Amino acid sequence: MTQIITPKILKGTRDFLPKDMAKRQYVMEKIRSTFIRFGYDTIETPVIEYAETLLGKYGDEGSKLVYQFKDNGGRQIALRYDQTVPFARLVAANYQALPMPFKRYQISRVWRADRPAKGRYREFYQCDIDIIGTESLLADAEIAKVIFSVFKTLGFTDFTIKFNSRRLMNRILESVGVPASRTADVIRLIDKLDKIGKKSVARELECILSKEIVQKLLKIITASGANREKIASLKKEDSQEIREFFKLCLDFGISEKNLLFDLSLARGLDYYTGVSYEVVLNDVAIGSVAGGGRYGDLCGLFCEKKFSGAGVAFGFDRIVFAMEELGLLSEIPLSSQVLVTYFDESVLPNSLAIFAELQEFGFNAEIYPEAISLSKQFKYADKKEIPFVVICGSDEIQKEAVTIKSMKTGKQKTVPRNQLTEYLKGLSF
Amino acid sequence: MTQIITPKILKGTRDFLPKDMAKRQYVMEKIRSTFIRFGYDTIETPVIEYAETLLGKYGDEGSKLVYQFKDNGGRQIALRYDQTVPFARLVAANYQALPMPFKRYQISRVWRADRPAKGRYREFYQCDIDIIGTESLLADAEIAKVIFSVFKTLGFTDFTIKFNSRRLMNRILESVGVPASRTADVIRLIDKLDKIGKKSVARELECILSKEIVQKLLKIITASGANREKIASLKKEDSQEIREFFKLCLDFGISEKNLLFDLSLARGLDYYTGVSYEVVLNDVAIGSVAGGGRYGDLCGLFCEKKFSGAGVAFGFDRIVFAMEELGLLSEIPLSSQVLVTYFDESVLPNSLAIFAELQEFGFNAEIYPEAISLSKQFKYADKKEIPFVVICGSDEIQKEAVTIKSMKTGKQKTVPRNQLTEYLKGLSF
């Protein structure tokens, strides 16, 4: 006899059973249909790539987290770490065939050889859009509008799209007297404001800057007030980009209450060059659920042509988690809508005819594959959350009738056989 | 300056650009919705698994084709080779939580460290359904009905579902006098009938069997005639299973012209135990496009409980290829339906309002992100195959009108601004 292998999976990877999948597919489809509504088409890149394509693109820390191995032919292979580098590679190889500006979405899995922890997986989904080949601020505002639409469509109400500009931040640092050599360090510390608070950040900044500069800087970047006021308080030449971006967001129909100009937002250290954004949910403590911004040159690693663009990545697993918390996923149905029962071989052709008719009229239906007790067939329907069960034994056949049982209420109703589909159409699933 | 890396991908893997993806998603969604219509729910398993879960399940040849590597923690990891073994592992680990019989579909990628060739990839999709936890022949016939529905739904007309029974074949081999020790070899040779022809198979069979046995055997398994006749020609006790299966297929509404009882069908050497099937397209020479059957014990490698079931795998890439050949994918649209043009900043708020309105009324719309020449915006629409372009310059604004250009016909029409969405709804996309 073959030895039995324990059916276990790697930490940081997951099996999803039908009920989880129904919820995840619902969320994914909402996100996808929003992307499509804005004219984003999808592309697909391989999961396995030459290692040299991916390595060295994510900093020292990131490169360690790229899964890689040698294949049978001695080639060094890596598993996709994100969707951005493969996208850049695809654009560099195909830009002449692509419409420009090029708008694409991608929803697929990526892999990180990370230490798994709560909410941190080795295998997880990313949902990205990018528009590249244009420097227009309208593209930045469009991405903000897609973000707004995604969260609205998913049913979130209390979310904030924080925005800032890397260009602006660089100017502010310069204007208060931060030496250019310290810019990266200072931004890295500013990025900690949310996590460790203003006092701790000030203390750390004072290790590399004078107390005076730190105070000036923190005063500007942590100023409170309405978006308009904050934007107006900046010198005109510094604020033009953010002022225009904000106006375009409003023209696009983004509610002002969901927008927050946050000068302390310091996303992505070296990547972004213009406007950037990050989304937080105000009623679920889970960190940011989406983030992105403008980059100056996406494909520079793979070709000499420069492609500026803007993009955003949605944190799919965090979004699903938050929706569960807020009760937004409690009513997602599984596939099956009607179970046709049957009792013995003599009534089977009749049950099959009912089944065929239900399918033809657009119901997701199934027929129980064995003639066993009705109670067992009901149990099956319960476990699969099938809302209605059709019963048609020899009694019903004789009377040219069928009985429909609602699994939710337990109530049964017998209707003439030829009214079955009409009757089911009137029910709520 | 960073050195530029040539943007290349591994042989046997593929990038898919938007137009390919539109077709592939169309086909996938048709297959998926058919699975759902029969009450199959989806599950998801990891792409990376412990190597011991996958190795040794695909024969010596198969094991060599499993991509495997050691991760940072020294664990031996493998990439999913098919969807069946991970499914068996999942069922073994979760059967108490699952409804039984359990019906699931899975559409996702698998990896094989194979030598790439025309139509043979290292990374490709499988589309599987299985129903396990029942030995009822109704389940086998349901799988055949799903096969029938998938190909019908995709628009194929001239396809044949060949069917046979492994149980029946074993009995026939026994009855003509094939020694049990030779069964596997004989079946392997019968499997070559399609490829090398009757004469060559006879010659090879005669190396291990007497001429008399070979002639008896080939006479039975290559008999021609209608399904009913062939079934009736078998001794009654041998044909009961196939007779019932055939009757159930007809009761399920499968057209008889798409069914072919083929005693020479010898799918899968050791795996199948009962009815098996294989689908060929009669108008595209591409080999089988789907195959499957009844297995006696799916999860035996992972648990002591026995799960018999039936399943089928659809060859997604072959199906897409065949549909292209038959012209069934020539009309698949990309996402965008309407492009809103704009000319300068003064008309932008107006263009944004049009864009917002189009989206609200359910159109997939986009606004060109830069105020450039109309001819360039038209070129963009052409390249993205956007069927309609909305033009609204200062003239139109003054007249409270908009102009709609059909990119297919080149014709333009100016309508009152407040009739735009009504007008677009009346067009065919």
Side-chain angles (χ1 to χ4, degrees), chain A residues 387-388 406 408 423-429:
Chain A
F388 297 101
S406 160
K408 231 179 227 166
Y423 176 77
L424 280 171
K425 272 188 211 164
L427 301 173
S428 67
F429 282 86

Side-chain angles (χ1 to χ4, degrees), chain A residues 2-5 7-10 13-18 21 25 32 36-50 52-53 57 64 67-69 71-72 75 77 79-80 89-90 92-94 96-103 105 109 111 113 122-123 125 131 133-136 138-139 142 247-248 251-252 300-304 334-336 342 348-349 352 355 359 363-370 380 383-384, chain B residues 2-5 7-10 13-18 21 25 32 36-50 52-53 57 64 67-69 71-72 75 77 79-80 89-90 92-94 96-103 105 109 111 113 122-123 125 131 133-136 138-139 142 247-248 251-252 300-304 334-336 342 348-349 352 355 359 363-370 380 383-384:
Chain A
T2 329
Q3 211 197 319
I4 287 173
I5 300 160
K8 65 181 196 287
I9 58 175
L10 285 160
T13 72
R14 291 168 288 172
D15 279 334
F16 295 103
L17 299 185
M21 283 306 290
Q25 283 190 321
R32 200 183 85 85
I36 282 179
R37 203 143 53 82
F38 284 85
Y40 289 78
D41 291 307
T42 196
I43 58 163
E44 201 171 89
T45 68
V47 164
I48 51 176
E49 297 250 11
Y50 282 106
E52 64 163 17
T53 299
K57 315 295 182 297
K64 275 184 219 150
Y67 273 112
Q68 50 167 320
F69 59 98
D71 73 3
N72 292 344
R75 286 167 289 259
I77 309 292
L79 297 188
R80 180 166 60 207
R89 179 196 49 66
L90 177 138
N94 296 280
Q96 276 158 329
L98 296 172
M100 278 296 157
F102 181 49
K103 297 164 70 165
Y105 77 86
R109 281 192 268 195
W111 289 265
R122 288 184 172 141
E123 175 178 276
Y125 276 89
I131 169 168
T134 177
E135 305 203 16
S136 166
L138 194 57
E142 179 183 295
K247 184 180 178 310
L248 285 170
D251 284 348
F252 254 119
L301 290 156
F302 301 107
C303 69
E304 282 176 8
L334 289 164
S335 301
S336 248
Y342 90 96
L348 180 55
L352 282 172
F355 168 74
Q359 283 215 324
F363 294 103
N364 297 344
E366 57 185 301
I367 183 162
Y368 196 86
E370 290 171 11
Y380 173 81
K383 209 156 181 181
K384 272 196 87 167
Chain B
T2 328
Q3 213 198 318
I4 286 173
I5 299 160
K8 65 179 198 286
I9 57 174
L10 285 160
T13 71
R14 290 168 289 173
D15 279 335
F16 295 104
L17 299 184
M21 282 307 290
Q25 283 189 323
R32 202 185 83 87
I36 282 180
R37 204 144 51 82
F38 285 85
Y40 289 77
D41 291 307
T42 196
I43 58 163
E44 202 171 89
T45 67
V47 164
I48 51 175
E49 297 250 12
Y50 281 107
E52 64 162 16
T53 300
K57 316 295 182 294
K64 276 184 217 150
Y67 273 112
Q68 51 168 320
F69 59 99
D71 74 3
N72 292 343
R75 285 167 289 260
I77 309 294
L79 297 188
R80 178 167 60 206
R89 179 197 48 66
L90 178 138
N94 296 281
Q96 275 156 330
L98 296 171
M100 277 296 157
F102 181 49
K103 296 164 71 164
Y105 76 86
R109 281 192 269 194
W111 290 265
R122 286 183 174 143
E123 175 177 278
Y125 276 89
I131 169 168
T134 175
E135 305 204 16
S136 165
L138 193 58
E142 180 183 294
K247 183 180 181 309
L248 285 171
D251 285 347
F252 253 119
L301 290 156
F302 301 107
C303 67
E304 281 177 7
L334 289 164
S335 301
S336 248
Y342 90 97
L348 180 56
L352 283 172
F355 168 75
Q359 284 215 323
F363 294 103
N364 297 344
E366 56 186 301
I367 183 161
Y368 196 85
E370 290 172 14
Y380 173 82
K383 209 157 183 183
K384 272 194 86 166

Side-chain angles (χ1 to χ4, degrees), chain B residues 360-378:
Chain B
E360 199 178 313
F361 279 84
F363 294 103
N364 297 344
E366 56 186 301
I367 183 161
Y368 196 85
E370 290 172 14
I372 56 166
S373 74
L374 253 192
S375 70
K376 277 192 184 159
Q377 298 189 48
F378 288 156

Side-chain angles (χ1 to χ4, degrees), chain A residues 367-404:
Chain A
I367 183 162
Y368 196 86
E370 290 171 11
I372 55 166
S373 74
L374 254 191
S375 69
K376 278 192 182 158
Q377 299 189 48
F378 288 155
K379 254 191 201 152
Y380 173 81
D382 248 348
K383 209 156 181 181
K384 272 196 87 167
E385 298 177 3
I386 305 174
F388 297 101
V389 171
V390 171
I391 301 151
C392 194
S394 45
D395 268 17
E396 276 96 353
I397 294 180
Q398 211 174 354
K399 289 182 201 146
E400 296 187 10
V402 280
T403 300
I404 300 105

